[in-house]
């Protein structure tokens, strides 16, 4: 046999996809990315798309027939979509799981203060960020405020900065002229979490004897627009996210830049492939999109929540099937991004094993760190099953890992699904500058992820 027949070669897959289909899919994704900058926004967007694709909100106890399309929202921050298959749930489900949250700057519960004629919000960053990347870029404010009005809870949506005519917010940086001390520090010490304060205004309120006139003027603005008093910050979820849109990158437009590719470049194709199924699949197909992955998957909207189990128990009960029996026969693609090999940072990468841009949907057998800790490590059998599904459907795929052994590491939701006795493997799109306010992926990999999910649902 020849080298070509015997060797595994990671190569760009440009010859394996229609360039027009790749470009068209990227356009839809860009539009989604610009609207879905927080998990709440993403759930709203997904719900609207699902309803347009014939999905209905699931009611407990409702009868389920093959071909039925249902969804369930978890507290506005997660969503499960399902298409009921021809076979019984006792045969298991084809499950995809991805996350909708992304690293960002959260506003603290008591954020507003005035200092030297300027008003700021105190913050607490969310997820693994490099703090130096967040000052001196335009930010939007997104989220909700739940106010208590006459004993009734009222939810108000907040979005400032998305419209081109809107003002933006910013974290200020130190000028280089005065930064000689800062520049000598280690990168992790150059910016402190307590220093990531958001500049929100400077115009004072009129009136004598006002102690904090700028803070008062900002509070009045918030009161007029959202009916807020300062105490309402306690029942708010407000976040600052980058105020720039997704765009093509490269003179040849082969890349796509934007905020929150991790993990929307997996959740979007996982969901759109399910919504796009034109015939009833053999197995029931489920797409699970969760929150809180970036902070460890805890809480009612994270992957460790029983919300998913309760939903599965409900639909299994409709068919008289035990959920444990369903899980045992299910397969899951834990869809999360992986590191793309970057020749600019070659010393932390492992050239043979790291994912590469344009080489397709990346299968990651295990994540974790320090001797494969904190990972589910997919079985050889499952890896082979998934490879075969992709090969049969002509999906360009590759293997990926996260850099050199002992260089660092990370995890995904895979282990929480595998712990439920579901055969699970990580699969995703390779990302450059992961967790930066502006991340980069290849359009071809995004498209191959979509084709991969589609083939997996149909298997
Ligand atoms: Mn992720
Ligand atoms: Mn991440």
């Amino acid at each position: 046999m020849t080298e070509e027949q015997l060797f595994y070669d990671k190569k760009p897959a440009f010859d394996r996809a229609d360039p027009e289909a790749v470009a068209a899919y990227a356009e839809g994704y860009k539009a989604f990315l610009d609207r879905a900058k927080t998990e709440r926004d993403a759930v709203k967007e997904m719900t609207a798309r699902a309803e347009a694709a014939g999905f209905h909100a699931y009611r407990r106890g409702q009868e389920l027939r093959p071909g039925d399309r249902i969804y369930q929202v978890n507290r506005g921050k997660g969503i499960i979509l399902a298409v009921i298959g021809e076979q019984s749930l006792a045969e298991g489900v084809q499950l995809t799981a991805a996350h909708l949250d992304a690293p960002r700057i959260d506003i603290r519960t008591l954020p507003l203060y005035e200092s030297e004629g300027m008003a700021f919000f105190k913050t607490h960053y969310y997820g693994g960020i490099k703090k130096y990347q967040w000052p001196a870029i335009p930010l939007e404010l997104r989220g909700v405020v739940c106010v208590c009005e006459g004993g009734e809870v009222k939810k108000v949506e907040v979005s400032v900065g998305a419209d081109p005519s809107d003002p933006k917010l910013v974290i200020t940086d130190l000028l280089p002229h005065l930064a000689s001390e800062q520049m000598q520090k280690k990168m992790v010490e150059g910016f402190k979490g307590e220093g990531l304060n958001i500049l929100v205004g400077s115009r004072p309120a009129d009136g004598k004897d006002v102690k904090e006139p700028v803070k008062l003027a900002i509070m009045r603005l918030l009161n007029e627009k959202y009916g807020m008093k300062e105490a309402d910050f306690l029942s708010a979820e407000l976040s600052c996210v980058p105020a720039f849109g997704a765009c093509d990158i490269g003179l040849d437009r082969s890349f796509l830049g934007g905020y929150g590719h991790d993990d929307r470049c997996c959740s979007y194709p996982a969901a759109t492939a399910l919504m796009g199924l034109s015939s009833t699949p053999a197995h029931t197909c489920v797409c699970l999109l969760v929150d809180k992955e970036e902070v460890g998957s805890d809480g009612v909207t994270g992957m460790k929540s029983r919300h998913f189990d309760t939903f599965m128990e409900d639909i299994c009960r409709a068919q008289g099937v035990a959920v444990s029996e369903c899980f045992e026969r299910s397969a899951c693609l834990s869809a999360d991004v992986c590191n793309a090999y970057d020749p600019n940072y070659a010393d932390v990468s492992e050239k043979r094993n790291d994912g590469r841009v344009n080489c397709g949907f990346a299968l990651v057998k295990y994540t974790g760190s320090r001797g494969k800790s904190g990972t589910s490590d997919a079985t050889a059998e499952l890896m082979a099953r998934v490879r075969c599904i992709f090969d049969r459907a002509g999906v360009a795929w590759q293997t990926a890992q996260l850099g050199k052994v002992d260089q660092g590491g990370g995890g995904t939701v895979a282990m929480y699904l595998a712990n439920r006795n579901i055969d699970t493997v990580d699969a995703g799109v390779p990302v450059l500058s992961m967790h930066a306010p502006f991340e980069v992926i290849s359009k071809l990999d995004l498209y191959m992820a979509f084709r991969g999910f589609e083939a997996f649902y149909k298997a």
Side-chain angles (χ1 to χ4, degrees), residues 99 101 262-263 293-294 335-337 411-412 434-435:
H99 67 94
D101 59 320
D262 177 7
D263 187 29
E293 194 278 339
E294 296 296 356
D336 206 345
V337 297
T412 64
M434 195 198 293
H435 280 206

Side-chain angles (χ1 to χ4, degrees), residues 90-121:
E91 300 302 316
V93 298
Q94 296 292 98
L95 173 66
T96 60
H99 67 94
L100 297 172
D101 59 320
R104 62 178 183 229
I105 308 292
D106 279 352
I107 306 303
R108 289 188 89 143
T109 37
L110 213 50
L112 183 59
Y113 70 100
E114 175 174 340
S115 178
E116 309 300 331
M118 293 188 272
F120 298 90
F121 279 161

Side-chain angles (χ1 to χ4, degrees), residues 301-379:
T301 55
M303 189 59 246
K304 290 185 199 166
S305 160
R306 296 244 336 137
H307 174 261
F308 169 64
D309 306 80
T310 304
F311 173 82
M312 290 302 295
E313 279 160 17
D314 285 346
I315 65 167
C316 281
R317 198 180 303 121
Q319 294 190 357
V321 172
V323 73
S324 55
E325 207 179 314
C326 171
F327 280 178
E328 183 180 83
R329 308 213 56 188
S330 295
C332 173
L333 286 186
S334 162
D336 206 345
V337 297
C338 61
N339 170 49
Y341 177 81
D342 186 339
N344 294 302
Y345 303 97
D347 28 325
V348 295
S349 311
E350 211 291 300
K351 225 174 174 174
R352 280 176 211 83
N353 284 290
D354 282 8
R356 283 177 174 263
V357 294
N358 296 319
C359 293
F361 199 16
L363 285 173
V364 181
K365 190 174 183 300
Y366 52 86
T367 57
S369 55
R370 293 163 286 100
K372 295 170 84 170
S373 286
T375 178
S376 60
D377 201 349
T379 62

Side-chain angles (χ1 to χ4, degrees), residues 92-277:
V93 298
Q94 296 292 98
L95 173 66
T96 60
H99 67 94
L100 297 172
D101 59 320
R104 62 178 183 229
I105 308 292
D106 279 352
I107 306 303
R108 289 188 89 143
T109 37
L110 213 50
L112 183 59
Y113 70 100
E114 175 174 340
S115 178
E116 309 300 331
M118 293 188 272
F120 298 90
F121 279 161
K122 295 298 293 177
T123 67
H124 195 149
Y125 61 97
Y126 175 92
I129 62 164
K130 290 163 92 176
K131 297 188 189 84
Y132 75 85
Q133 293 175 331
W134 291 80
I137 60 167
L139 299 169
E140 297 177 27
L141 186 66
R142 292 205 184 197
V144 295
V145 181
C146 296
V147 298
C148 187
E149 232 178 51
E152 297 288 321
V153 173
K154 209 178 105 204
K155 190 160 91 178
V156 191
E157 306 270 340
V158 176
S159 173
V160 181
D163 192 273
S165 66
D166 278 0
K168 318 281 187 249
L169 303 176
V170 76
I171 297 167
T172 54
D173 198 353
L174 180 60
L175 65 168
H177 317 65
L178 296 179
S180 58
E181 232 173 83
Q182 181 196 40
M183 302 284 268
Q184 297 307 318
K185 288 184 180 165
K186 285 191 204 161
M187 264 165 107
V188 29
E189 288 158 7
F191 289 89
K192 294 269 194 282
E194 283 295 344
L196 298 178
N197 303 315
I198 312 271
L199 181 62
V200 295
S202 64
R203 192 195 305 273
D206 291 335
K208 271 189 204 144
D209 302 326
V210 181
K211 271 180 268 153
E212 296 177 288
V214 181
K215 176 177 169 177
L216 178 64
I218 293 292
M219 213 49 249
R220 280 182 181 158
L221 268 175
L222 293 171
N223 185 265
E224 268 165 40
K225 207 166 165 195
Y226 306 112
M228 276 181 81
K229 294 179 181 158
E230 193 176 13
D232 294 320
F233 279 114
L234 301 174
S235 49
E237 283 179 9
L238 296 171
S239 305
C240 275
V241 292
F244 34 71
C247 61
D248 291 348
I249 292 286
L251 299 177
D252 62 1
R253 297 179 180 270
S254 57
F255 293 106
L256 223 159
Y259 164 66
H261 282 319
D262 177 7
D263 187 29
R264 283 151 220 172
C265 68
C266 293
S267 34
Y268 179 81
T272 53
L274 184 73
M275 293 177 199
L277 287 179

